[in-house]
Amino acid sequence: MRRFLRELDDNAERWALLVFYTLLVSTMTIEVVRREVFSYSSIWGEEIVRYSFIYLAWIGAAAAVKERAHIRIDVLYHYVGPRTKALLYIFGDIVMLVIGCLALYWSFETVSVSWKYGSVTHGLRISKVWFLMAVPVGFSLVIFRLLQSMRRDIGDLLAGRPVFEGNKMFD
């Protein structure tokens, strides 16, 4: 069970991103072929692509928090010592955590209104709650990854280790 949880922690966003990206690309390809070859398209295809993209964006945001891949102004990090750098990362995570908690709270308002009035999508005729939940799910994942990042950074700070700065794409 512990190994499964470790795999889930390491790869959950990757697998979810793969599923939504595959769904997006395959549906878009099918719809283009249907439109260009058969002169027919469906209303549900566009909805699947739109909602897959929304989930892709929010899950991707959580994956970026995990990997410290979000865009940031990091000039200051090059001129400070490891201890100050760790404190700056922790401060940044606290600010993001506060914003994430506020956004999570307010994102449930849209979901609750949709739930209350029973709104459905035009093509799929499925409750919009499933698609509007992308925002709270995304912010929940972001908050979870921020808490993990803060725990790791505080542990590194206390142990005197350099903090995780993310994997570099370019030098």
Side-chain angles (χ1 to χ4, degrees), residues 67-97:
E67 298 294 327
R68 276 231 163 96
H70 277 285
I71 296 173
R72 68 172 46 101
I73 300 172
D74 62 352
V75 173
L76 189 59
Y77 292 107
H78 298 293
Y79 298 107
V80 297
R83 184 169 178 78
T84 307
K85 189 182 289 189
L87 291 171
L88 286 171
Y89 275 120
I90 292 168
F91 175 73
D93 285 348
I94 290 170
V95 170
M96 280 183 64
L97 183 65

PDB file of all heavy atoms in Angstrom, residues 67-97:
ATOM      1  N   GLU A  67       6.852  20.710  -9.101  1.00  0.00           N
ATOM      2  CA  GLU A  67       8.180  20.743  -9.720  1.00  0.00           C
ATOM      3  C   GLU A  67       8.855  22.113  -9.618  1.00  0.00           C
ATOM      4  O   GLU A  67       9.924  22.306 -10.183  1.00  0.00           O
ATOM      5  CB  GLU A  67       8.075  20.348 -11.200  1.00  0.00           C
ATOM      6  CG  GLU A  67       7.577  18.952 -11.430  1.00  0.00           C
ATOM      7  CD  GLU A  67       8.552  17.904 -10.930  1.00  0.00           C
ATOM      8  OE1 GLU A  67       9.789  18.139 -10.977  1.00  0.00           O
ATOM      9  OE2 GLU A  67       8.088  16.851 -10.457  1.00  0.00           O
ATOM     10  N   ARG A  68       8.206  23.075  -8.957  1.00  0.00           N
ATOM     11  CA  ARG A  68       8.686  24.463  -8.869  1.00  0.00           C
ATOM     12  C   ARG A  68       8.939  25.022 -10.263  1.00  0.00           C
ATOM     13  O   ARG A  68       9.974  25.622 -10.543  1.00  0.00           O
ATOM     14  CB  ARG A  68       9.969  24.545  -8.059  1.00  0.00           C
ATOM     15  CG  ARG A  68       9.733  24.607  -6.589  1.00  0.00           C
ATOM     16  CD  ARG A  68      10.502  25.773  -5.936  1.00  0.00           C
ATOM     17  NE  ARG A  68       9.961  26.031  -4.641  1.00  0.00           N
ATOM     18  CZ  ARG A  68      10.451  25.552  -3.511  1.00  0.00           C
ATOM     19  NH1 ARG A  68      11.524  24.797  -3.525  1.00  0.00           N
ATOM     20  NH2 ARG A  68       9.866  25.823  -2.378  1.00  0.00           N
ATOM     21  N   ALA A  69       7.978  24.826 -11.146  1.00  0.00           N
ATOM     22  CA  ALA A  69       8.139  25.233 -12.541  1.00  0.00           C
ATOM     23  C   ALA A  69       7.337  26.473 -12.899  1.00  0.00           C
ATOM     24  O   ALA A  69       7.332  26.869 -14.057  1.00  0.00           O
ATOM     25  CB  ALA A  69       7.729  24.071 -13.455  1.00  0.00           C
ATOM     26  N   HIS A  70       6.657  27.075 -11.936  1.00  0.00           N
ATOM     27  CA  HIS A  70       5.914  28.293 -12.244  1.00  0.00           C
ATOM     28  C   HIS A  70       6.885  29.435 -12.522  1.00  0.00           C
ATOM     29  O   HIS A  70       7.990  29.483 -11.978  1.00  0.00           O
ATOM     30  CB  HIS A  70       4.984  28.679 -11.084  1.00  0.00           C
ATOM     31  CG  HIS A  70       3.693  27.948 -11.098  1.00  0.00           C
ATOM     32  ND1 HIS A  70       2.690  28.237 -11.980  1.00  0.00           N
ATOM     33  CD2 HIS A  70       3.240  26.926 -10.347  1.00  0.00           C
ATOM     34  CE1 HIS A  70       1.673  27.433 -11.767  1.00  0.00           C
ATOM     35  NE2 HIS A  70       1.989  26.611 -10.776  1.00  0.00           N
ATOM     36  N   ILE A  71       6.452  30.342 -13.343  1.00  0.00           N
ATOM     37  CA  ILE A  71       7.266  31.511 -13.665  1.00  0.00           C
ATOM     38  C   ILE A  71       7.403  32.370 -12.414  1.00  0.00           C
ATOM     39  O   ILE A  71       6.430  32.638 -11.722  1.00  0.00           O
ATOM     40  CB  ILE A  71       6.617  32.323 -14.804  1.00  0.00           C
ATOM     41  CG1 ILE A  71       6.581  31.488 -16.071  1.00  0.00           C
ATOM     42  CG2 ILE A  71       7.345  33.636 -15.016  1.00  0.00           C
ATOM     43  CD1 ILE A  71       5.802  32.131 -17.196  1.00  0.00           C
ATOM     44  N   ARG A  72       8.629  32.806 -12.144  1.00  0.00           N
ATOM     45  CA  ARG A  72       8.867  33.685 -10.998  1.00  0.00           C
ATOM     46  C   ARG A  72      10.059  34.571 -11.317  1.00  0.00           C
ATOM     47  O   ARG A  72      10.900  34.238 -12.140  1.00  0.00           O
ATOM     48  CB  ARG A  72       9.097  32.886  -9.721  1.00  0.00           C
ATOM     49  CG  ARG A  72      10.368  32.093  -9.699  1.00  0.00           C
ATOM     50  CD  ARG A  72      10.660  31.459  -8.341  1.00  0.00           C
ATOM     51  NE  ARG A  72       9.530  30.823  -7.754  1.00  0.00           N
ATOM     52  CZ  ARG A  72       9.304  29.518  -7.756  1.00  0.00           C
ATOM     53  NH1 ARG A  72      10.160  28.724  -8.325  1.00  0.00           N
ATOM     54  NH2 ARG A  72       8.240  29.010  -7.192  1.00  0.00           N
ATOM     55  N   ILE A  73      10.120  35.674 -10.644  1.00  0.00           N
ATOM     56  CA  ILE A  73      11.274  36.563 -10.766  1.00  0.00           C
ATOM     57  C   ILE A  73      12.300  36.057  -9.766  1.00  0.00           C
ATOM     58  O   ILE A  73      12.113  36.162  -8.557  1.00  0.00           O
ATOM     59  CB  ILE A  73      10.871  38.019 -10.480  1.00  0.00           C
ATOM     60  CG1 ILE A  73       9.812  38.451 -11.478  1.00  0.00           C
ATOM     61  CG2 ILE A  73      12.094  38.930 -10.531  1.00  0.00           C
ATOM     62  CD1 ILE A  73       9.183  39.791 -11.190  1.00  0.00           C
ATOM     63  N   ASP A  74      13.385  35.507 -10.286  1.00  0.00           N
ATOM     64  CA  ASP A  74      14.337  34.832  -9.406  1.00  0.00           C
ATOM     65  C   ASP A  74      15.700  35.510  -9.346  1.00  0.00           C
ATOM     66  O   ASP A  74      16.674  34.898  -8.931  1.00  0.00           O
ATOM     67  CB  ASP A  74      14.483  33.369  -9.813  1.00  0.00           C
ATOM     68  CG  ASP A  74      15.035  33.197 -11.213  1.00  0.00           C
ATOM     69  OD1 ASP A  74      15.173  34.201 -11.927  1.00  0.00           O
ATOM     70  OD2 ASP A  74      15.329  32.049 -11.576  1.00  0.00           O
ATOM     71  N   VAL A  75      15.781  36.775  -9.728  1.00  0.00           N
ATOM     72  CA  VAL A  75      17.057  37.486  -9.691  1.00  0.00           C
ATOM     73  C   VAL A  75      17.603  37.516  -8.273  1.00  0.00           C
ATOM     74  O   VAL A  75      18.791  37.284  -8.049  1.00  0.00           O
ATOM     75  CB  VAL A  75      16.881  38.921 -10.249  1.00  0.00           C
ATOM     76  CG1 VAL A  75      18.146  39.738 -10.068  1.00  0.00           C
ATOM     77  CG2 VAL A  75      16.473  38.871 -11.697  1.00  0.00           C
ATOM     78  N   LEU A  76      16.737  37.767  -7.313  1.00  0.00           N
ATOM     79  CA  LEU A  76      17.157  37.862  -5.921  1.00  0.00           C
ATOM     80  C   LEU A  76      17.754  36.554  -5.410  1.00  0.00           C
ATOM     81  O   LEU A  76      18.690  36.557  -4.609  1.00  0.00           O
ATOM     82  CB  LEU A  76      15.953  38.278  -5.059  1.00  0.00           C
ATOM     83  CG  LEU A  76      16.224  38.637  -3.616  1.00  0.00           C
ATOM     84  CD1 LEU A  76      17.200  39.800  -3.526  1.00  0.00           C
ATOM     85  CD2 LEU A  76      14.928  38.984  -2.916  1.00  0.00           C
ATOM     86  N   TYR A  77      17.248  35.438  -5.903  1.00  0.00           N
ATOM     87  CA  TYR A  77      17.721  34.133  -5.440  1.00  0.00           C
ATOM     88  C   TYR A  77      19.202  33.905  -5.756  1.00  0.00           C
ATOM     89  O   TYR A  77      19.868  33.127  -5.085  1.00  0.00           O
ATOM     90  CB  TYR A  77      16.898  33.004  -6.058  1.00  0.00           C
ATOM     91  CG  TYR A  77      15.471  32.956  -5.583  1.00  0.00           C
ATOM     92  CD1 TYR A  77      14.432  33.341  -6.415  1.00  0.00           C
ATOM     93  CD2 TYR A  77      15.159  32.527  -4.304  1.00  0.00           C
ATOM     94  CE1 TYR A  77      13.117  33.301  -5.979  1.00  0.00           C
ATOM     95  CE2 TYR A  77      13.850  32.478  -3.858  1.00  0.00           C
ATOM     96  CZ  TYR A  77      12.834  32.873  -4.710  1.00  0.00           C
ATOM     97  OH  TYR A  77      11.541  32.832  -4.275  1.00  0.00           O
ATOM     98  N   HIS A  78      19.709  34.569  -6.794  1.00  0.00           N
ATOM     99  CA  HIS A  78      21.100  34.390  -7.188  1.00  0.00           C
ATOM    100  C   HIS A  78      22.078  35.138  -6.277  1.00  0.00           C
ATOM    101  O   HIS A  78      23.273  34.871  -6.304  1.00  0.00           O
ATOM    102  CB  HIS A  78      21.315  34.840  -8.632  1.00  0.00           C
ATOM    103  CG  HIS A  78      20.518  34.048  -9.621  1.00  0.00           C
ATOM    104  ND1 HIS A  78      20.756  32.721  -9.877  1.00  0.00           N
ATOM    105  CD2 HIS A  78      19.467  34.390 -10.397  1.00  0.00           C
ATOM    106  CE1 HIS A  78      19.893  32.280 -10.771  1.00  0.00           C
ATOM    107  NE2 HIS A  78      19.099  33.283 -11.104  1.00  0.00           N
ATOM    108  N   TYR A  79      21.567  36.085  -5.487  1.00  0.00           N
ATOM    109  CA  TYR A  79      22.438  36.933  -4.671  1.00  0.00           C
ATOM    110  C   TYR A  79      22.332  36.675  -3.170  1.00  0.00           C
ATOM    111  O   TYR A  79      22.950  37.390  -2.393  1.00  0.00           O
ATOM    112  CB  TYR A  79      22.135  38.412  -4.949  1.00  0.00           C
ATOM    113  CG  TYR A  79      22.405  38.789  -6.387  1.00  0.00           C
ATOM    114  CD1 TYR A  79      21.352  39.024  -7.259  1.00  0.00           C
ATOM    115  CD2 TYR A  79      23.707  38.876  -6.861  1.00  0.00           C
ATOM    116  CE1 TYR A  79      21.594  39.352  -8.582  1.00  0.00           C
ATOM    117  CE2 TYR A  79      23.963  39.195  -8.181  1.00  0.00           C
ATOM    118  CZ  TYR A  79      22.902  39.436  -9.044  1.00  0.00           C
ATOM    119  OH  TYR A  79      23.138  39.747 -10.348  1.00  0.00           O
ATOM    120  N   VAL A  80      21.554  35.704  -2.779  1.00  0.00           N
ATOM    121  CA  VAL A  80      21.386  35.427  -1.351  1.00  0.00           C
ATOM    122  C   VAL A  80      21.926  34.036  -1.032  1.00  0.00           C
ATOM    123  O   VAL A  80      22.086  33.192  -1.907  1.00  0.00           O
ATOM    124  CB  VAL A  80      19.903  35.544  -0.912  1.00  0.00           C
ATOM    125  CG1 VAL A  80      19.390  36.958  -1.107  1.00  0.00           C
ATOM    126  CG2 VAL A  80      19.030  34.550  -1.649  1.00  0.00           C
ATOM    127  N   GLY A  81      22.162  33.826   0.248  1.00  0.00           N
ATOM    128  CA  GLY A  81      22.669  32.533   0.695  1.00  0.00           C
ATOM    129  C   GLY A  81      21.574  31.475   0.741  1.00  0.00           C
ATOM    130  O   GLY A  81      20.387  31.770   0.559  1.00  0.00           O
ATOM    131  N   PRO A  82      21.968  30.238   1.003  1.00  0.00           N
ATOM    132  CA  PRO A  82      21.006  29.134   1.007  1.00  0.00           C
ATOM    133  C   PRO A  82      19.890  29.288   2.050  1.00  0.00           C
ATOM    134  O   PRO A  82      18.743  28.947   1.785  1.00  0.00           O
ATOM    135  CB  PRO A  82      21.841  27.899   1.309  1.00  0.00           C
ATOM    136  CG  PRO A  82      23.255  28.300   1.216  1.00  0.00           C
ATOM    137  CD  PRO A  82      23.318  29.781   1.221  1.00  0.00           C
ATOM    138  N   ARG A  83      20.223  29.817   3.211  1.00  0.00           N
ATOM    139  CA  ARG A  83      19.220  29.981   4.272  1.00  0.00           C
ATOM    140  C   ARG A  83      18.177  31.029   3.870  1.00  0.00           C
ATOM    141  O   ARG A  83      16.980  30.810   4.015  1.00  0.00           O
ATOM    142  CB  ARG A  83      19.910  30.364   5.579  1.00  0.00           C
ATOM    143  CG  ARG A  83      18.978  30.454   6.742  1.00  0.00           C
ATOM    144  CD  ARG A  83      19.775  30.577   8.047  1.00  0.00           C
ATOM    145  NE  ARG A  83      18.931  30.715   9.187  1.00  0.00           N
ATOM    146  CZ  ARG A  83      18.277  29.739   9.791  1.00  0.00           C
ATOM    147  NH1 ARG A  83      18.401  28.516   9.332  1.00  0.00           N
ATOM    148  NH2 ARG A  83      17.521  29.965  10.832  1.00  0.00           N
ATOM    149  N   THR A  84      18.631  32.154   3.355  1.00  0.00           N
ATOM    150  CA  THR A  84      17.724  33.210   2.906  1.00  0.00           C
ATOM    151  C   THR A  84      16.895  32.731   1.721  1.00  0.00           C
ATOM    152  O   THR A  84      15.703  33.035   1.619  1.00  0.00           O
ATOM    153  CB  THR A  84      18.517  34.480   2.538  1.00  0.00           C
ATOM    154  OG1 THR A  84      19.347  34.844   3.632  1.00  0.00           O
ATOM    155  CG2 THR A  84      17.594  35.618   2.181  1.00  0.00           C
ATOM    156  N   LYS A  85      17.532  31.970   0.841  1.00  0.00           N
ATOM    157  CA  LYS A  85      16.811  31.421  -0.310  1.00  0.00           C
ATOM    158  C   LYS A  85      15.678  30.513   0.148  1.00  0.00           C
ATOM    159  O   LYS A  85      14.558  30.584  -0.362  1.00  0.00           O
ATOM    160  CB  LYS A  85      17.779  30.645  -1.206  1.00  0.00           C
ATOM    161  CG  LYS A  85      17.185  30.216  -2.528  1.00  0.00           C
ATOM    162  CD  LYS A  85      18.174  29.402  -3.342  1.00  0.00           C
ATOM    163  CE  LYS A  85      19.288  30.276  -3.853  1.00  0.00           C
ATOM    164  NZ  LYS A  85      20.151  29.575  -4.827  1.00  0.00           N
ATOM    165  N   ALA A  86      15.947  29.679   1.138  1.00  0.00           N
ATOM    166  CA  ALA A  86      14.911  28.793   1.682  1.00  0.00           C
ATOM    167  C   ALA A  86      13.775  29.607   2.287  1.00  0.00           C
ATOM    168  O   ALA A  86      12.592  29.298   2.070  1.00  0.00           O
ATOM    169  CB  ALA A  86      15.506  27.848   2.717  1.00  0.00           C
ATOM    170  N   LEU A  87      14.120  30.649   3.018  1.00  0.00           N
ATOM    171  CA  LEU A  87      13.089  31.500   3.625  1.00  0.00           C
ATOM    172  C   LEU A  87      12.260  32.211   2.569  1.00  0.00           C
ATOM    173  O   LEU A  87      11.042  32.360   2.725  1.00  0.00           O
ATOM    174  CB  LEU A  87      13.739  32.508   4.583  1.00  0.00           C
ATOM    175  CG  LEU A  87      14.343  31.908   5.855  1.00  0.00           C
ATOM    176  CD1 LEU A  87      15.136  32.952   6.614  1.00  0.00           C
ATOM    177  CD2 LEU A  87      13.263  31.291   6.723  1.00  0.00           C
ATOM    178  N   LEU A  88      12.889  32.640   1.481  1.00  0.00           N
ATOM    179  CA  LEU A  88      12.149  33.284   0.388  1.00  0.00           C
ATOM    180  C   LEU A  88      11.188  32.302  -0.286  1.00  0.00           C
ATOM    181  O   LEU A  88      10.056  32.652  -0.614  1.00  0.00           O
ATOM    182  CB  LEU A  88      13.115  33.877  -0.639  1.00  0.00           C
ATOM    183  CG  LEU A  88      13.839  35.150  -0.232  1.00  0.00           C
ATOM    184  CD1 LEU A  88      14.912  35.507  -1.250  1.00  0.00           C
ATOM    185  CD2 LEU A  88      12.851  36.288  -0.054  1.00  0.00           C
ATOM    186  N   TYR A  89      11.661  31.077  -0.500  1.00  0.00           N
ATOM    187  CA  TYR A  89      10.777  30.056  -1.080  1.00  0.00           C
ATOM    188  C   TYR A  89       9.598  29.771  -0.150  1.00  0.00           C
ATOM    189  O   TYR A  89       8.459  29.643  -0.603  1.00  0.00           O
ATOM    190  CB  TYR A  89      11.533  28.760  -1.366  1.00  0.00           C
ATOM    191  CG  TYR A  89      12.228  28.742  -2.701  1.00  0.00           C
ATOM    192  CD1 TYR A  89      13.600  28.577  -2.785  1.00  0.00           C
ATOM    193  CD2 TYR A  89      11.510  28.870  -3.883  1.00  0.00           C
ATOM    194  CE1 TYR A  89      14.243  28.549  -4.016  1.00  0.00           C
ATOM    195  CE2 TYR A  89      12.142  28.839  -5.116  1.00  0.00           C
ATOM    196  CZ  TYR A  89      13.505  28.681  -5.170  1.00  0.00           C
ATOM    197  OH  TYR A  89      14.131  28.661  -6.380  1.00  0.00           O
ATOM    198  N   ILE A  90       9.859  29.660   1.132  1.00  0.00           N
ATOM    199  CA  ILE A  90       8.781  29.397   2.093  1.00  0.00           C
ATOM    200  C   ILE A  90       7.805  30.571   2.117  1.00  0.00           C
ATOM    201  O   ILE A  90       6.577  30.373   2.116  1.00  0.00           O
ATOM    202  CB  ILE A  90       9.359  29.109   3.494  1.00  0.00           C
ATOM    203  CG1 ILE A  90      10.114  27.775   3.479  1.00  0.00           C
ATOM    204  CG2 ILE A  90       8.267  29.097   4.553  1.00  0.00           C
ATOM    205  CD1 ILE A  90      10.974  27.526   4.707  1.00  0.00           C
ATOM    206  N   PHE A  91       8.320  31.794   2.106  1.00  0.00           N
ATOM    207  CA  PHE A  91       7.449  32.975   2.075  1.00  0.00           C
ATOM    208  C   PHE A  91       6.576  32.976   0.814  1.00  0.00           C
ATOM    209  O   PHE A  91       5.370  33.220   0.883  1.00  0.00           O
ATOM    210  CB  PHE A  91       8.281  34.262   2.145  1.00  0.00           C
ATOM    211  CG  PHE A  91       7.456  35.505   2.000  1.00  0.00           C
ATOM    212  CD1 PHE A  91       6.632  35.924   3.034  1.00  0.00           C
ATOM    213  CD2 PHE A  91       7.491  36.247   0.830  1.00  0.00           C
ATOM    214  CE1 PHE A  91       5.857  37.068   2.903  1.00  0.00           C
ATOM    215  CE2 PHE A  91       6.727  37.390   0.686  1.00  0.00           C
ATOM    216  CZ  PHE A  91       5.906  37.801   1.722  1.00  0.00           C
ATOM    217  N   GLY A  92       7.180  32.684  -0.330  1.00  0.00           N
ATOM    218  CA  GLY A  92       6.417  32.613  -1.584  1.00  0.00           C
ATOM    219  C   GLY A  92       5.335  31.549  -1.535  1.00  0.00           C
ATOM    220  O   GLY A  92       4.219  31.753  -2.018  1.00  0.00           O
ATOM    221  N   ASP A  93       5.660  30.409  -0.932  1.00  0.00           N
ATOM    222  CA  ASP A  93       4.666  29.340  -0.799  1.00  0.00           C
ATOM    223  C   ASP A  93       3.533  29.742   0.141  1.00  0.00           C
ATOM    224  O   ASP A  93       2.373  29.399  -0.098  1.00  0.00           O
ATOM    225  CB  ASP A  93       5.329  28.052  -0.295  1.00  0.00           C
ATOM    226  CG  ASP A  93       6.142  27.355  -1.372  1.00  0.00           C
ATOM    227  OD1 ASP A  93       6.010  27.731  -2.559  1.00  0.00           O
ATOM    228  OD2 ASP A  93       6.909  26.435  -1.029  1.00  0.00           O
ATOM    229  N   ILE A  94       3.857  30.480   1.197  1.00  0.00           N
ATOM    230  CA  ILE A  94       2.805  30.945   2.117  1.00  0.00           C
ATOM    231  C   ILE A  94       1.867  31.914   1.396  1.00  0.00           C
ATOM    232  O   ILE A  94       0.642  31.815   1.532  1.00  0.00           O
ATOM    233  CB  ILE A  94       3.426  31.587   3.377  1.00  0.00           C
ATOM    234  CG1 ILE A  94       4.084  30.514   4.240  1.00  0.00           C
ATOM    235  CG2 ILE A  94       2.379  32.351   4.183  1.00  0.00           C
ATOM    236  CD1 ILE A  94       4.922  31.053   5.381  1.00  0.00           C
ATOM    237  N   VAL A  95       2.424  32.828   0.619  1.00  0.00           N
ATOM    238  CA  VAL A  95       1.585  33.769  -0.138  1.00  0.00           C
ATOM    239  C   VAL A  95       0.692  33.009  -1.119  1.00  0.00           C
ATOM    240  O   VAL A  95      -0.511  33.267  -1.213  1.00  0.00           O
ATOM    241  CB  VAL A  95       2.465  34.817  -0.865  1.00  0.00           C
ATOM    242  CG1 VAL A  95       1.638  35.641  -1.843  1.00  0.00           C
ATOM    243  CG2 VAL A  95       3.168  35.709   0.132  1.00  0.00           C
ATOM    244  N   MET A  96       1.279  32.056  -1.833  1.00  0.00           N
ATOM    245  CA  MET A  96       0.481  31.254  -2.771  1.00  0.00           C
ATOM    246  C   MET A  96      -0.575  30.437  -2.037  1.00  0.00           C
ATOM    247  O   MET A  96      -1.683  30.249  -2.549  1.00  0.00           O
ATOM    248  CB  MET A  96       1.382  30.321  -3.583  1.00  0.00           C
ATOM    249  CG  MET A  96       2.081  30.989  -4.731  1.00  0.00           C
ATOM    250  SD  MET A  96       3.079  29.844  -5.712  1.00  0.00           S
ATOM    251  CE  MET A  96       1.856  28.753  -6.380  1.00  0.00           C
ATOM    252  N   LEU A  97      -0.249  29.951  -0.866  1.00  0.00           N
ATOM    253  CA  LEU A  97      -1.197  29.161  -0.081  1.00  0.00           C
ATOM    254  C   LEU A  97      -2.400  30.008   0.330  1.00  0.00           C
ATOM    255  O   LEU A  97      -3.547  29.556   0.233  1.00  0.00           O
ATOM    256  CB  LEU A  97      -0.508  28.572   1.152  1.00  0.00           C
ATOM    257  CG  LEU A  97      -1.344  27.660   2.038  1.00  0.00           C
ATOM    258  CD1 LEU A  97      -1.720  26.395   1.285  1.00  0.00           C
ATOM    259  CD2 LEU A  97      -0.577  27.311   3.300  1.00  0.00           C
TER     260      LEU A  97
END
